[in-house]
Amino acid sequence: MSETSRELLLLGIGDVPGRGDTVTSYLTRAGYRLSTATLPELPERKPLGIVLDISPFSHDGWGILLDLKKNHRTRDIPVLPVYLSEEGKVGGIFPVAGFFILPLDTEYLLEKLALIGMTDDTEMWDLQTLIVSRKGEESVAKVMITAGFDVVNAYTGKEAVALASIGPFYMAFSLLMLPDMPAFELLEKCSHHPRTRNLPIFILMRDELKEGEKKAISREIPHLVRKKELSQEEFLLALRRR
């Protein structure tokens, strides 16, 4: 594999000296080339992926994520959200299957799912998609039905966990913020159950977040963070799953 094909970008950590040292050491020891870039540079860089700090100590991590996913030239770059402490310790990693922006680009969603092989078996099997949203997401449901999936709605994170633990879902979509928990908490809960451990969960985000909303979302993340820093092995395992 060439050096370019193993390039990862680290975004959102701000300009605090040394704050990205732990992540950098984890990845460079594993053979990745880690660097930084500005958003305008990303379309030309074509990195393997982006490691993005979305902690309360990040430099507008949520704004960066929105900018990436709203831009047609960068929305296909895989993003791995992580929680870095104020000192840069790795407290959490969230291997989301992907992000889609609302209002939904339905053609893009179908193309993306086909590209990653998520629609290959719909003619052979009866496959179910779980959609987790306060009111249901009709645009997403229509696309998934068109693609050959049966759709099941859950209206809270707790209901989604209950349904997913008893039903064989092929994939799931969740709003970023649910009535009872953020989508990252839903992801965390599913990761601990044998039936849902490998369930691909895509997160749906509105195309604009106010500063107060970004801060509110960031405040929901720390209670998912481990007291003990993630080791290099744990970090790389989650990265490769993503």
Side-chain angles (χ1 to χ4, degrees):
M1 183 178 289
S2 69
E3 182 177 299
T4 302
S5 68
R6 291 183 67 84
E7 181 187 42
L8 294 172
L9 300 182
L10 179 59
L11 301 181
I13 61 169
D15 55 5
V16 178
R19 191 161 176 269
D21 287 355
T22 297
V23 171
T24 300
S25 66
Y26 283 0
L27 292 169
T28 53
R29 287 202 298 262
Y32 294 97
R33 184 166 63 91
L34 196 65
S35 57
T36 58
T38 63
L39 289 176
E41 293 174 330
L42 291 182
E44 306 304 325
R45 296 289 290 270
K46 299 179 181 178
L48 178 66
I50 291 171
V51 178
L52 177 66
D53 179 23
I54 46 83
S55 75
F57 312 106
S58 71
H59 180 68
D60 196 23
W62 295 108
I64 292 172
L65 180 59
L66 276 179
D67 287 341
L68 286 169
K69 295 305 172 181
K70 287 195 295 184
N71 187 330
H72 288 207
R73 300 181 67 196
T74 59
R75 63 185 179 182
D76 287 327
I77 302 174
V79 175
L80 180 66
V82 300
Y83 180 104
L84 300 183
S85 71
E86 194 168 8
E87 300 79 21
K89 294 181 179 180
V90 184
I93 186 167
F94 308 99
V96 177
F99 295 88
F100 292 102
I101 298 297
L102 299 173
L104 185 68
D105 182 339
T106 56
E107 184 176 340
Y108 172 65
L109 175 56
L110 281 173
E111 290 176 354
K112 185 66 174 179
L113 293 178
L115 181 66
I116 60 179
M118 298 298 291
T119 58
D120 293 346
D121 299 324
T122 53
E123 294 184 3
M124 296 178 57
W125 308 100
D126 293 326
L127 301 177
Q128 290 187 321
T129 296
L130 180 64
I131 299 178
V132 194
S133 168
R134 183 193 300 269
K135 297 180 180 180
E137 294 298 329
E138 186 176 352
S139 59
V140 180
K142 286 182 177 179
V143 172
M144 299 314 295
I145 291 171
T146 299
F149 291 88
D150 295 326
V151 170
V152 176
N153 285 300
Y155 301 99
T156 65
K158 185 176 181 180
E159 182 183 7
V161 172
L163 288 171
S165 65
I166 60 175
F169 290 101
Y170 194 65
M171 73 181 85
F173 294 85
S174 173
L175 283 183
L176 177 60
M177 292 300 293
L178 300 168
D180 55 344
M181 66 180 71
F184 285 177
E185 183 172 349
L186 172 62
L187 182 72
E188 181 76 6
K189 290 180 180 295
C190 287
S191 70
H192 295 302
H193 194 285
R195 186 183 288 271
T196 57
R197 183 176 297 137
N198 296 315
L199 176 67
I201 299 179
F202 297 93
I203 291 183
L204 306 169
M205 300 178 63
R206 290 188 291 108
D207 63 359
E208 184 177 354
L209 287 173
K210 298 178 180 178
E211 288 303 316
E213 292 175 313
K214 294 177 185 177
K215 292 179 181 178
I217 296 169
S218 291
R219 286 196 297 268
E220 294 293 331
I221 302 300
H223 76 280
L224 301 175
V225 174
R226 288 178 19 173
K227 293 182 179 179
K228 183 180 179 182
E229 180 181 13
L230 270 71
S231 68
Q232 178 181 340
E233 291 73 20
E234 291 170 318
F235 183 89
L236 293 175
L237 177 63
L239 175 72
R240 288 161 181 157
R241 283 180 54 201
R242 174 65 186 88

